[in-house]
Amino acid sequence: MAITNINEFAHLTDADVDALGRELDAIRRDVEESRGLRDARYIRRVIRLQRSLELGGRAVLFGSRRKPAWVLGTAMLSLAKIIENMELGHNVMHGQWDWMNDPEIHSTTWEWDQTGPSEHWKRAHNYAHHTYTNIVGMDDDVGFGILRMTRDEKWRPINLLQPIANVILAATFEWGIALHDLEAQQKREGVDPMRWNSGPHKQFAVKIARQVGKDFVLFPALSGRAWKHTLAANAMANLVRNLWAYAVIFCGHFPDGAEKFTAEQFENETRAQWYLRQMLGSANIDAGPIMGFLTGNLSYQIEHHLFPDLPSNRYPEIAVRVRALCAKYDLPYTTGPLTRQYLLALRTIHKLALPDRFLTRTSDDAPETSSEHKFHATGSRIDADTGRRRGLASALRAHAEARVKARRFTRGK
């Protein structure tokens, strides 16, 4: 099964985990106390950039009957939608800028540019996902209810279709998230999903009318004879935004090293263990400043899960300190290029579409999920050469080396 004892899996004592938690609390305090003018300037510059790109893109699309204008306008609109979705909508609604007390940039007032109502998303994502991160059966974001992403989930015949479902999810990601959040809202309010006049359904319908009306009725109509080209451009911009958001989210949650956990682990979890679960259940993307910005700084997914309500522009500096803590406590810091992280997630999607009898590893010892039982076959947790306790990062390296040796031995027979 997934991890049931996070201290044992991490090769840390209770005292170690408590000390780690105190150091992470110190990072939070330092950032909170240093928030100020430079952060406010950053988010306001981002808003101006996003609005300029959207306004410019829509203006260019008035001449979209000409191919160069269509390409330029579509590119500008796509970029505007990505920035609004990733660096603005997602992060503002996490409350990262509530400390400014600016009603325009506040989690209670921001409505983002996609089909799902922001209130549905905040309740499903900010609370459920960030509280129960990667806990099988509690975090509905593990596969979004349609993909089997861990061997802890029972295989069903419908899973054979998940490679196809994954492609559909990627192309329609905003709709997948919206429907996922609608279902969560219905469960929370105890509403029958077939009751079409319920509050959640009404909110959803209003938001759909607003989004579809804006992108596929209003702006095409304003383009006059170029309405077909504008309609196509809006559809393309939404597709580009959906594919990009999907890729970033999957790279942060589903590559190898993003561990899964059981409800048993959560039952008596301390604040420090919550921190540790966020570190072990997330994965970063290697990114420079431009790539980081385009991901909404979710290339720092580990830091985001640790501190979801701290300003996203501070994640790069937080990452330096978190990485140092991982080295200090011999914990893995899971990161890699976007292409590699996505291919690992894609491999899991296709592999777990198959029944378990076709899989060679178990849920205790698989690339995409494991548990503390993974290390029972590797012997002592004390390093024979130094006499020091072996941490998780070292144990993972030793485990991988042992598997390589075992395969070589088997082949040599």
Side-chain angles (χ1 to χ4, degrees), residues 22 65 88 108 132 189 208 233 249 268 299 309 322:
R22 288 192 295 272
R65 294 177 68 188
L88 292 177
T108 59
Y132 308 122
E189 296 185 13
I208 290 174
I249 297 306
N268 299 303
S299 52
D309 58 348
V322 171

Side-chain angles (χ1 to χ4, degrees), residues 306-319:
L306 287 169
F307 310 112
D309 58 348
L310 292 184
S312 59
N313 64 306
R314 306 296 287 274
Y315 286 160
E317 64 189 71
I318 293 173

Side-chain angles (χ1 to χ4, degrees), residues 41-60:
R41 284 176 175 168
Y42 170 80
I43 192 61
R44 290 191 172 112
R45 283 199 301 266
V46 173
I47 290 173
R48 286 196 297 271
L49 171 63
Q50 188 276 330
R51 290 176 178 172
S52 297
L53 283 168
E54 182 170 7
L55 180 62
R58 294 200 182 279
V60 171

